[in-house]
Amino acid sequence: MNHAVSHNSSVEVPVWRLGIWWFLASEIVVFGGLVVCYILYRFNHPEWGMEAGRTLLWVGSVNTVVLLTSSLTMILAHYSIVEKGDLALGRRYLGVTILLGLLFLCFKGYEYSHEIHAGLVPSRSLFWGFYYLMTGLHGLHVIGGLVANGVILGGLSQGRTPHRIESIGLYWHFVDVVWIFLFPLLYLASQGGAS
């Protein structure tokens, strides 16, 4: 009997882990719904290819590399803290992740500025409405991730909450995966490039 109880307790999933997966599932519904709506409209609006050609492909490409690199540094932070128990090294990797997230936002801000000055605003067409909605919502999630990363980094500096690196790591990877979907839809699916 005691053995059975011990076995059951060994497979229990921590509440915090369930919580982050539930949260990510709700986020998948939000972004998934937006992406599906965009794709359905895209099939009926071939002219959106020309609009996509007006996005700054080089900025989107650089930001893709920046976010993928930040996922790598997040993995290294998790490995350093959880597997090696090296909080100092984990803090450094987490700090680099935060800097890369800020770099992503700087490039995105530059891109928004360029597009707005060129008259590429949401009222121009439905494509740009989707563009600003999806990239703006993604940007807000990046900001949320940076705040959470900062809180975790502060806790690690005091030797607290090392297990939370897993939760914020899952969230950060989710934000990166969302961008992997947005990048080809909004930047690469163009026809003929900018005019």
Side-chain angles (χ1 to χ4, degrees):
M1 184 64 180
N2 290 337
H3 175 73
V5 171
S6 174
H7 176 73
N8 288 335
S9 62
S10 67
V11 296
E12 286 182 357
V13 178
V15 173
W16 60 266
R17 187 173 290 163
L18 282 176
I20 189 64
W21 279 111
W22 273 109
F23 175 72
L24 293 180
S26 68
E27 293 295 293
I28 290 172
V29 172
V30 172
F31 279 103
L34 277 173
V35 167
V36 168
C37 286
Y38 174 86
I39 292 174
L40 291 176
Y41 274 103
R42 178 69 175 82
F43 283 131
N44 293 319
H45 293 276
E47 71 277 11
W48 284 13
M50 288 300 294
E51 297 290 349
R54 297 176 186 275
T55 57
L56 293 180
L57 179 59
W58 73 269
V59 176
S61 301
V62 169
N63 263 346
T64 301
V65 173
V66 168
L67 274 189
L68 290 178
T69 305
S70 73
S71 265
L72 174 62
T73 56
M74 179 60 82
I75 291 171
L76 293 173
H78 179 270
Y79 178 77
S80 299
I81 295 168
V82 177
E83 301 296 330
K84 297 176 65 177
D86 190 339
L87 292 182
L89 184 59
R91 285 197 304 268
R92 284 196 289 274
Y93 280 125
L94 192 56
V96 173
T97 302
I98 292 173
L99 290 176
L100 289 170
L102 291 172
L103 182 62
F104 174 89
L105 292 177
C106 288
F107 274 116
K108 198 65 202 165
Y110 167 78
E111 188 178 17
Y112 277 165
S113 175
H114 173 84
E115 288 158 347
I116 290 172
H117 281 92
L120 305 174
V121 294
S123 60
R124 176 184 170 90
S125 72
L126 191 56
F127 170 83
W128 290 102
F130 268 110
Y131 171 84
Y132 283 101
L133 176 61
M134 292 196 289
T135 59
L137 187 59
H138 177 264
L140 288 176
H141 280 72
V142 171
I143 293 172
L146 289 176
V147 171
N149 278 336
V151 171
I152 298 299
L153 183 60
L156 289 173
S157 298
Q158 300 171 8
R160 293 187 288 111
T161 64
H163 69 280
R164 292 184 181 171
I165 191 70
E166 180 178 336
S167 297
I168 188 58
L170 288 170
Y171 175 82
W172 194 256
H173 296 317
F174 168 78
V175 171
D176 291 356
V177 168
V178 169
W179 180 256
I180 295 302
F181 279 93
L182 298 185
F183 178 63
L185 287 174
L186 299 174
Y187 293 82
L188 299 180
S190 61
Q191 296 176 355
S195 60

